């Protein structure tokens, strides 16, 4: 039970014992000192002390090998990070948010330690959602036949999050080399763990999951933690399946500096957790079994004191982040098209339906780049390719390793895409985000992560993902098969949003997405997949740059700004009014919402003096509101009429076709609005 | 009867109370109390009959003082020694690990050659699982201060009588 294990107080090499003590003493010195920085108003305003988790955190860091493994530490993992190789100075730089903080240059909250270049990933504060990223990395290891482990660490309470269950289910089903560590200190802030789940040990909730092994350890004990983590890693590598480690810890202090545990833990409890201090236990063991003398312990204390002093001095002298840098790393530079710099072509190429254009571009890009992957629901089954057959034939051609079905778990679909792209910068993932845009909401929290990653990591990591979403109505689909969600998602900096209306633009924008680093939302107007209106010739190598609108019809009397399904209605209405009344209406098809081609919009308004914004999404708080505001701000002097908008009513979309027609915009409603604006 | 060494943590709370009532159940010259927090191999080896107080902590763990002595226990030759264990646990709040520490430490002693005495019936307790149970018996006396305190007196008394025989 003790002495015949790989690591034991009696037999482990003295130098190893000394090294561990050094790391643990250093960690504790930093952990204990962190509140001083806040008291002196220097920083570290969020600090979640790790004291009481020392054994397991030492062990996680020690078994992590930066040459082969990936590590996702959570906000309490200071010792994990030190043990994995971060220096005291790097810890303090993160604590006090300096420009040279290796986790993210002071952009992310303090106590979120990371070093992306070592695969110690920057994780969200949305606690536990990096489990999905860890699984994604595991999938990368699996696909590229890489030997290593992906380690995710979190507290026991955050296991309650649905995404953690999705992550473990997926790792179990896909048999991925992931270690999930639950550091169990009995509390989620003030909430005792009995309010989270019925089992005392949350890990037991997973005992029915296949293809995984559950390990238990005393996270307060260095040797038990080292032995169990070593065994878990070995097991995962040998079996290529996930392991779960439940580590019993205590939380000696409050949850964080903004919590006061005196309010919910009595003196006796605060006493017994302090009595079970893992560092004190380790020191007692070292002297009791004559492995290090009291003098040797003192030497380490002294050495650590000097080290911390030195790190403190250096960190204080480090530069602060530059306020002018805030716009750096929102979204990476996209692929530049040399052949089609404006996203226009001379009508060469065969006429294609929108659905064919997407399908063929996907295939062409998958042939062009072997590091491309596609997954989603209903993606890969005989002749089926996605709910609308957009990716038909892909699995046949590229195989199940690259094109595969995902479980009905949208958060998992996107979260593991984010994770997998961490494995290797070359990877490009196409995620069919949901069967319908309407079902993308469960993935929202991972969507937010995808928009944050590049900025938060100060440019160190960006997920290379194209999310495809079959969007919009006009198919009699009702509330859950008609939604347009681009307006809601456009409020998040860090994503590009494109919404083509024609086959050629769909092909060109998709190619650009797949060749660009970064995160792109590709909205597909599903009503147009097979529509004659959307058919165009498509050059086989077509590319459309982001942020280039296209003037579909030139005109001088009114500027109409639109995208997606309504582009066709606007064109129809404009043509009609031209024929009937001789009106000269300019129709701008935005194609990209983010980045937005403001120049084309403003230039047109300068010419026409009037603006009508049309989209299928709701008028109220729809994306058109932003365009209207930009026009009011930047083109007010040129306006001769109020800026008008047409879109859906501020209601859900009804199922009965009579209701649907009353709610969604159509050519007639657009025509009426055009006439109204033209009157000025 | 050989002198009994009664080992428990002098800093504990409820364990200490039980230990004291056990101690009172024997003539003072046949039992000697020793603090488990600072126990040495010599102190341990000095007795043929031992009683140990072993509460279960933290969802099925040994209290740290016993855990820290574990590597020493494992390397001691305890052949022929009789060890009686009394455990403290809480079957309502910790039904999955009720009295686990009793089972963990019993196994450790057995692997070093000791004989575990003082087994008791699991009748009257309700829990889900326990490492302390073997063939429907606890590997010692199971005290539940939190939820069955009223039974402490009679349980301790009966156990002392049992030990007096088993230590012969
Ligand atoms: C944090 C904590 C964890 C516990 N875990 C268990 C357990 O897993 N199984 C059990 O039977 N009792 C458990 N108990 C109950 C204790 O064994 C019981 O309170 C005992 O009386 C403590 O004795 P002591 O204060 O003398 O150490 C636990 C108590 C605490 C405070
Ligand atoms: C998604 C999400 N919900 C809520 C919070 C607020 N929150 C921060 S820490 C925490 C408790 C987490 O407890 P646990 O997972 O047990 O880890 P511990 O802090 O105890 O180490 C909560 C609720 C959060 N950060 N993220």
């Amino acid at each position: 039970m003790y002495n015949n294990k790989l690591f034991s107080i009696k037999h482990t090499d003295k130098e190893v014992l000394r090294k561990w003590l050094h790391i643990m003493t250093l960690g504790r010195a930093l952990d204990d000192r962190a509140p001083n920085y806040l008291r002196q108003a220097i920083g570290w305003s969020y600090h979640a002390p790790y004291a009481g988790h020392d054994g397991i955190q030492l062990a996680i860091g020690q078994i992590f090998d930066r040459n082969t493994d990936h590590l996702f530490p959570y906000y309490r993992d200071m010792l994990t990070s030190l043990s994995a190789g971060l220096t005291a100075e790097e810890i303090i730089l993160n604590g006090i948010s300096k420009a040279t903080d290796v986790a993210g240059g002071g952009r992310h909250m303090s106590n979120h330690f990371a070093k992306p270049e070592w695969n110690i990933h920057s994780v969200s504060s949305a606690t536990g959602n990096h489990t999905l990223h860890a699984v994604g990395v595991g999938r990368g290891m699996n696909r590229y036949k890489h030997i290593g482990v992906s380690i995710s660490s979190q507290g026991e309470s955050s296991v309650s999050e649905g995404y953690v269950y999705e992550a473990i289910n997926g790792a179990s089903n896909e048999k991925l080399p992931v270690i999930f560590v639950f550091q169990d200190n009995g509390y989620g802030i003030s909430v005792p763990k009995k309010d989270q789940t019925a089992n005392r040990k949350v890990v037991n909730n997973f005992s029915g999951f296949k293809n995984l092994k559950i390990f238990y350890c005393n996270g307060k004990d260095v040797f038990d933690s080292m032995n169990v983590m070593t065994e878990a890693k070995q097991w995962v590598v040998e079996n290529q399946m996930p392991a779960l480690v439940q580590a019993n810890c205590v939380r000696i202090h409050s949850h964080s500096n903004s919590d006061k545990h005196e309010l919910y833990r009595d003196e006796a409890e605060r006493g017994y957790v302090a009595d079970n201090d893992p560092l004190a236990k380790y020191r007692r063991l070292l002297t009791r079994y004559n492995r290090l003398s009291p003098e040797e312990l003192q030497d380490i204390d002294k050495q650590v004191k000097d080290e911390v002093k030195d790190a403190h001095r250096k960190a204080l002298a480090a530069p602060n982040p530059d306020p002018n840098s805030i716009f750096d790393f929102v979204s990476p530079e996209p692929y530049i098209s040399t052949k089609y710099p404006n996203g226009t072509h001379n009508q060469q190429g065969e006429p294609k339906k929108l659905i064919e254009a997407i399908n063929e571009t996907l295939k062409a890009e998958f042939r062009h780049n072997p590091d491309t992957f596609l997954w989603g629901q209903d993606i890969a089954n005989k002749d089926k390719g996605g709910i609308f057959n957009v990716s038909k034939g892909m699995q046949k051609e590229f195989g199940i390793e690259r094109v595969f079905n995902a479980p009905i778990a949208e958060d998992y679909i996107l979260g593991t895409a984010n994770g997998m792209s961490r494995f290797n910068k070359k990877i490009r993932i196409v995620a069919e985000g949901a069967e319908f845009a309407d079902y993308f909401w469960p993935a929202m929290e991972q969507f937010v992560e995808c928009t944050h990653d590049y900025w938060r990591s100060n440019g160190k990591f960006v997920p290379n993902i194209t999310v495809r979403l079959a969007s919009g109505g006009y198919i009699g689909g009702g509330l859950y098969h008609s939604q347009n969600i681009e307006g809601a998602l456009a409020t998040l900096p860090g994503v590009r949003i494109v919404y083509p209306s024609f086959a050629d633009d769909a092909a060109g924008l998709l190619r650009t997405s797949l060749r660009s680093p970064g995160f792109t939302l590709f909205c597909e107007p599903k009503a147009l997949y097979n529509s004659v209106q959307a058919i165009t010739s498509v050059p086989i190598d077509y590319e459309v740059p982001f942020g280039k609108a296209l003037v579909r019809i030139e005109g001088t009397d009114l500027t109409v700004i639109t995208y997606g399904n309504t582009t066709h209605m606007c064109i129809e209405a404009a043509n009609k009014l031209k024929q009937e009344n001789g009106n000269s209406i300019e129709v701008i098809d935005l194609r990209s919402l983010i980045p937005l081609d403001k120049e084309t919009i403003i230039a047109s308004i300068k010419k026409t003096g009037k603006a009508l914004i049309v989209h299928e999404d709701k008028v109220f708080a729809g994306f058109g509101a932003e365009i209207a505001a930009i026009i009011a701000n930047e083109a007010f002097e040129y306006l001769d009429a109020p800026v008008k908008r047409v879109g859906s009513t501020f209601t859900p979309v009804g199922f009965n076709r009579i209701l649907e027609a009353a709610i969604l915009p159509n050519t007639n409603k657009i025509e009426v609005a055009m006439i109204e604006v033209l009157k000025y | 009867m050989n002198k009994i060494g009664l080992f428990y943590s002098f800093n504990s709370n409820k364990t200490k109370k039980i230990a004291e009532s056990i101690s009172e159940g024997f003539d003072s010259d046949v039992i000697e109390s020793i603090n488990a927090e600072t126990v040495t191999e010599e102190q341990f080896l000095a007795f043929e009959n031992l009683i140990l107080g072993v509460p279960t902590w933290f969802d099925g763990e040994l209290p740290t003082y016993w855990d820290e002595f574990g590597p020493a226990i494992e390397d001691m030759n305890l052949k022929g020694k009789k060890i009686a264990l009394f455990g403290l646990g809480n079957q309502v709040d910790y039904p999955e690990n009720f009295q686990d520490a009793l089972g963990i430490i019993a196994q450790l002693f057995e692997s070093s050659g000791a004989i575990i005495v003082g087994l008791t019936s699991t009748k009257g307790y309700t829990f889900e699982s326990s490492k302390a149970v073997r063939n429907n018996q606890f590997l010692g006396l199971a005290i539940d201060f939190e939820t069955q305190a009223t039974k402490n007196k009679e349980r301790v008394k009966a156990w002392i009588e049992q030990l007096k025989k088993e230590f012969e």
Side-chain angles (χ1 to χ4, degrees):
Chain A
M1 190 178 153
Y2 296 97
N3 306 322
N4 57 354
K5 290 285 169 77
L6 184 63
F7 297 104
S8 68
I9 183 63
K10 287 194 168 183
H11 305 305
T12 294
D13 185 71
K14 186 171 169 177
E15 284 321 303
V16 173
L17 296 177
R18 198 200 303 273
K19 178 179 84 180
W20 291 349
L21 181 65
H22 175 250
I23 296 168
M24 292 169 73
T25 309
L26 180 61
R28 222 25 127 61
L30 294 167
D31 206 38
D32 290 343
R33 242 186 108 96
N36 295 351
Y37 290 89
L38 182 57
R39 255 176 248 129
Q40 295 168 31
I42 298 170
W44 221 320
S45 56
Y46 178 75
H47 169 236
Y50 78 80
H53 294 232
D54 311 50
I56 187 63
Q57 293 200 3
L58 175 84
I60 297 171
Q62 289 297 299
I63 65 134
F64 166 74
D65 177 347
R66 77 177 84 119
N67 297 308
T68 53
D69 304 337
H70 286 247
L71 175 60
F72 294 83
Y74 82 124
Y75 51 78
R76 203 178 293 286
D77 269 322
M78 183 198 281
L79 183 61
T80 304
S81 308
L82 270 175
S83 174
L86 262 71
T87 63
E89 188 184 343
E90 287 170 335
I91 295 288
I92 302 173
L93 286 171
N94 172 276
I96 62 177
S97 312
K98 290 292 191 170
T100 45
D101 155 36
V102 293
R107 290 178 164 204
H108 198 12
M109 197 178 212
S110 52
N111 238 73
H112 288 62
F113 308 104
K115 191 159 182 171
E117 59 262 49
W118 284 2
N119 298 328
I120 302 175
H121 294 273
S122 159
V123 312
S124 172
S125 303
T127 189
N129 80 357
H130 55 268
T131 47
L132 289 171
H133 305 153
V135 173
V137 168
R139 184 183 292 145
M141 290 178 171
N142 171 289
R143 292 300 191 274
Y144 287 84
K145 316 246 176 298
H146 171 94
I147 298 299
V149 293
S150 177
I151 310 166
S152 161
S153 165
Q154 67 183 118
E156 85 294 342
S157 297
S158 55
V159 177
S160 296
E161 289 284 2
Y163 42 68
V164 179
Y165 285 80
E166 290 184 20
I168 294 171
N169 174 57
S172 133
N173 193 32
E174 295 188 42
K175 298 190 186 167
L176 300 176
V178 185
I179 306 177
F180 299 90
V181 182
F182 305 151
Q183 300 185 32
D184 180 354
N185 62 26
Y187 283 98
I189 310 184
S190 71
V191 181
K193 64 181 180 180
K194 70 176 169 54
D195 293 346
Q196 299 288 345
T197 195
N199 273 315
R200 285 288 303 168
K201 292 183 182 164
V202 66
V203 80
N204 291 336
N205 287 0
F206 302 94
S207 60
F209 284 49
K210 260 180 106 156
N211 311 325
L212 57 73
K213 186 163 169 158
I214 295 175
F215 294 83
Y216 303 88
C217 76
N218 180 349
K220 306 179 293 307
D221 186 78
V222 168
F223 299 98
D224 198 36
S225 298
M226 282 300 307
N227 286 322
V228 169
M229 283 306 295
T230 307
E231 199 190 329
K233 180 172 177 178
Q234 249 166 20
W235 188 88
V236 166
V237 170
E238 276 165 23
N239 294 280
Q240 290 299 306
M241 290 181 198
L244 272 49
V245 177
Q246 170 101 17
N248 273 5
C249 303
V250 287
R251 201 188 75 204
I252 295 178
H253 303 296
S254 292
H255 167 79
S256 71
N257 50 305
S258 52
D259 174 45
K260 241 194 167 68
H261 66 160
E262 291 81 1
L263 299 177
Y264 54 89
R265 293 167 110 181
D266 60 23
E267 213 180 317
E269 179 178 343
R270 299 199 307 273
Y272 73 66
V273 293
D275 289 345
N276 280 279
D277 180 344
L279 177 57
K281 175 181 182 183
Y282 183 52
R283 291 170 70 100
R284 284 196 300 270
L285 286 170
L286 288 168
T287 47
R288 178 177 202 151
Y289 292 96
N290 297 317
R291 300 307 312 277
L292 292 181
S293 67
E295 293 71 38
E296 285 171 305
L297 297 191
Q298 277 172 12
D299 284 349
I300 287 181
D301 291 344
K302 160 122 197 2
Q303 195 187 332
V304 161
K305 219 173 183 176
D306 294 343
E307 222 175 315
V308 170
K309 222 186 248 165
D310 184 51
H312 169 75
R313 205 171 32 76
K314 286 185 181 147
L316 279 190
N320 283 315
D322 177 358
N324 294 318
S325 70
I326 56 171
F327 295 109
D328 295 348
F329 310 123
V330 175
S331 208
E333 284 305 314
Y335 168 80
I336 306 283
S337 174
T338 45
K339 201 157 172 204
Y340 303 96
N342 295 312
T344 51
H345 61 96
N346 47 13
Q347 307 305 319
Q348 272 162 10
E350 265 180 72
K352 305 261 191 235
K353 292 182 191 173
L354 190 115
I355 193 167
E356 292 167 342
I358 297 174
N359 178 276
E360 290 173 16
T361 306
L362 283 173
K363 286 180 178 162
E365 284 307 297
F366 272 56
R367 285 172 204 137
H368 167 76
N369 180 1
D371 297 305
T372 42
F373 297 85
L374 171 86
W375 65 80
Q377 290 161 34
D378 272 299
I379 280 293
N381 231 325
K382 292 202 176 107
D383 282 331
K384 184 125 183 171
I387 192 84
F388 294 102
N389 259 358
V390 175
S391 55
K392 186 174 168 163
M394 298 269 304
Q395 194 189 49
K396 241 182 215 165
E397 182 172 347
F398 304 107
I400 198 162
E401 294 279 295
R402 288 175 65 195
V403 178
F404 50 94
N405 280 325
I408 307 178
E410 292 74 13
D411 209 30
Y412 182 77
I413 291 173
L414 187 58
T416 56
N418 179 310
M420 188 168 172
S421 71
R422 289 166 192 264
F423 178 69
N424 170 341
K425 279 187 164 65
K426 290 187 300 187
I427 293 175
R428 293 286 182 280
I429 294 157
V430 180
E432 189 154 313
E435 292 200 324
F436 293 82
D438 312 59
Y439 301 130
F440 192 58
W441 298 115
M444 267 317 287
E445 141 289 311
Q446 284 296 328
F447 189 90
V448 172
E449 293 317 322
C450 287
T451 67
H452 281 174
D453 276 315
Y454 192 49
W455 197 88
R456 192 179 73 213
S457 67
N458 215 14
K460 295 278 169 51
F461 166 69
V462 68
N464 296 324
I465 305 172
T466 301
V467 176
R468 293 182 35 239
L469 285 182
S471 304
Y474 302 102
I475 62 161
L479 290 81
Y480 303 98
H481 299 86
S482 307
Q483 290 175 27
N484 278 286
I485 67 174
E486 74 282 359
L489 301 187
T491 65
L492 298 162
V495 62
R496 307 180 193 107
I497 303 183
V498 299
Y499 207 144
S501 323
F502 287 90
D504 52 356
D505 287 343
L509 286 166
L510 187 56
R511 178 165 287 109
T512 303
S513 302
L514 274 164
R515 295 195 173 188
S516 297
F519 184 48
T520 307
L521 182 69
F522 187 85
C523 299
E524 300 172 8
K526 62 179 181 276
L528 297 178
Y529 277 146
N530 288 298
S531 112
V532 180
Q533 283 177 303
I535 294 178
T536 66
S537 61
V538 182
I540 48 163
D541 59 350
Y542 195 41
E543 294 160 351
V544 175
F546 299 122
K548 290 271 183 206
L550 189 64
V551 177
R552 291 279 168 194
I553 306 178
E554 287 192 25
T556 51
D557 300 344
L558 164 66
T559 299
V560 177
I561 301 139
T562 187
Y563 61 88
N565 279 315
T566 49
T567 303
H568 299 279
M569 299 168 195
C570 291
I571 291 170
E572 200 183 340
N575 284 334
K576 190 165 170 235
L577 289 182
K578 179 165 203 159
Q579 269 177 8
E580 290 174 4
N581 309 336
N583 297 127
S584 170
I585 299 173
E586 180 145 309
V587 176
I588 298 175
D589 174 2
L590 286 177
R591 306 195 289 189
S592 295
L593 308 191
I594 300 176
L596 181 66
D597 187 353
K598 282 203 287 191
E599 290 71 29
T600 298
I601 297 171
I602 307 284
S604 176
I605 291 168
K606 276 187 189 168
K607 186 167 64 172
T608 63
K610 299 189 177 93
L612 172 69
I613 302 154
V614 183
H615 55 49
E616 181 186 340
D617 197 7
K618 298 162 287 289
V619 170
F620 186 85
F623 188 72
E626 187 58 39
I627 302 174
I630 290 171
I631 294 171
N633 245 339
E634 299 181 30
F636 182 75
E637 291 102 275
Y638 312 108
L639 287 175
D640 298 324
V643 177
K644 214 160 156 70
R645 289 186 283 154
V646 175
S648 291
T649 50
F650 197 53
T651 61
V653 180
F655 185 66
N656 185 305
R657 286 282 192 174
I658 298 169
L659 298 175
E660 187 193 68
I663 289 160
L664 296 180
N666 59 31
T667 306
N668 186 47
K669 293 179 195 174
I670 294 167
E671 189 189 325
V672 169
M674 285 173 169
I675 292 168
E676 213 176 299
V677 185
L678 282 166
K679 276 194 200 138
Y680 283 88
Chain B
M1 186 162 45
N2 282 321
K3 194 161 187 183
I4 301 166
L6 175 59
F7 297 83
Y8 65 95
S9 160
F10 288 9
N11 295 319
S12 65
N13 178 13
K14 292 160 188 164
T15 307
K16 187 169 156 188
K17 288 192 183 129
I18 298 297
E20 283 164 358
S21 54
I22 289 171
S23 182
E24 283 160 19
F26 291 91
D27 292 336
S28 58
D29 57 337
V30 298
I31 193 157
E32 183 183 337
S33 294
I34 291 144
N35 189 356
E37 310 247 353
T38 53
V39 60
T40 62
E41 277 105 314
E42 297 76 61
Q43 286 175 310
F44 210 77
L45 290 167
F47 297 91
E48 289 307 308
N49 292 334
L50 300 88
I51 300 176
L52 271 65
V54 189
T56 300
W57 274 85
F58 302 114
D59 298 312
E61 287 180 2
L62 289 179
T64 192
Y65 46 88
W66 282 127
D67 190 46
E68 289 169 35
F69 195 48
I73 297 173
E74 208 169 62
D75 282 354
M76 281 192 273
N77 181 1
L78 302 177
K79 211 160 173 81
K81 291 192 191 293
K82 288 181 183 169
I83 299 183
L85 305 167
F86 68 93
L88 283 88
N90 172 339
Q91 59 203 294
V92 174
D93 294 332
Y94 306 92
E96 293 126 293
N97 301 94
F98 182 54
Q99 299 282 357
D100 272 3
L102 268 191
I104 295 168
I105 209 161
Q107 211 180 351
L108 187 61
F109 285 126
E110 285 176 333
S111 72
S112 298
I115 303 158
I116 303 298
V117 299
L119 279 57
T120 63
S121 165
T122 54
K123 255 223 264 5
Y125 300 85
T126 310
F127 53 92
E128 290 164 25
S129 65
S130 171
K131 288 187 179 147
V133 177
R134 191 185 291 165
N135 304 326
N136 295 321
Q137 281 194 307
F138 285 118
L139 293 160
L141 170 66
I143 294 292
D144 184 341
F145 236 112
E146 272 95 44
T147 76
Q148 292 184 337
T150 53
K151 299 195 171 161
N152 288 355
K153 230 184 192 157
E154 77 189 75
R155 281 175 176 165
V156 169
K157 191 163 170 250
W159 198 57
I160 290 169
E161 293 316 310
Q162 182 183 342
L163 291 187
K164 282 180 178 166
K165 288 186 205 125
E166 294 187 21
F167 274 150
E168 278 307 321

